[in-house]
Amino acid sequence: MSAPDPLEQLSSEQLHDLAVRHARHHLDVGFFWRLMKVLPAAEAAAGEDDEAEADLQSLVAHIDDVTESGKGEVGDLLRPFYLDYLRQHNVTPKG
């Protein structure tokens, strides 16, 4: 039996914060680009159709959303995205 994954114990908002912090520290523009590509689908799945439409129309809206994309149902829908990114980069929670 393998040890439990410490990332799975984090909330969606904590995963978001850890992934964004790692990407910022490493200047990983690709992460933010991929997040902006998957964010409208997560917002639409969460019933935030107006938000998804606005995101498709404006890159500026994406930049604001990136800072909020770890919260609520959208954050929960993006958990697999954050988990995949953090695992690819061997990032684990501290403490």
Side-chain angles (χ1 to χ4, degrees):
M1 181 180 282
S2 62
D5 183 346
L7 293 173
E8 289 290 348
Q9 305 307 311
L10 299 178
S11 70
S12 298
E13 190 168 350
Q14 289 170 317
L15 285 172
H16 162 269
D17 293 348
L18 186 59
V20 167
R21 191 169 35 252
H22 179 81
R24 279 186 184 160
H25 180 76
H26 293 280
L27 302 174
D28 189 350
V29 176
F31 166 81
F32 291 107
W33 181 249
R34 290 188 305 277
L35 177 56
M36 288 189 291
K37 287 172 54 177
V38 299
L39 184 55
E43 288 172 336
E48 298 179 10
D49 295 331
D50 292 339
E51 186 70 25
E53 179 65 28
D55 287 348
L56 292 172
Q57 300 301 319
S58 171
L59 181 58
V60 175
H62 278 304
I63 293 168
D64 290 338
D65 287 342
V66 165
T67 61
E68 298 294 318
S69 61
K71 297 179 182 173
E73 188 176 357
V74 170
D76 291 342
L77 290 164
L78 289 171
R79 279 184 69 85
F81 176 78
Y82 297 132
L83 286 166
D84 181 57
Y85 177 77
L86 293 166
R87 288 176 181 142
Q88 283 179 11
H89 294 278
N90 297 314
V91 178
T92 57
K94 301 210 184 315

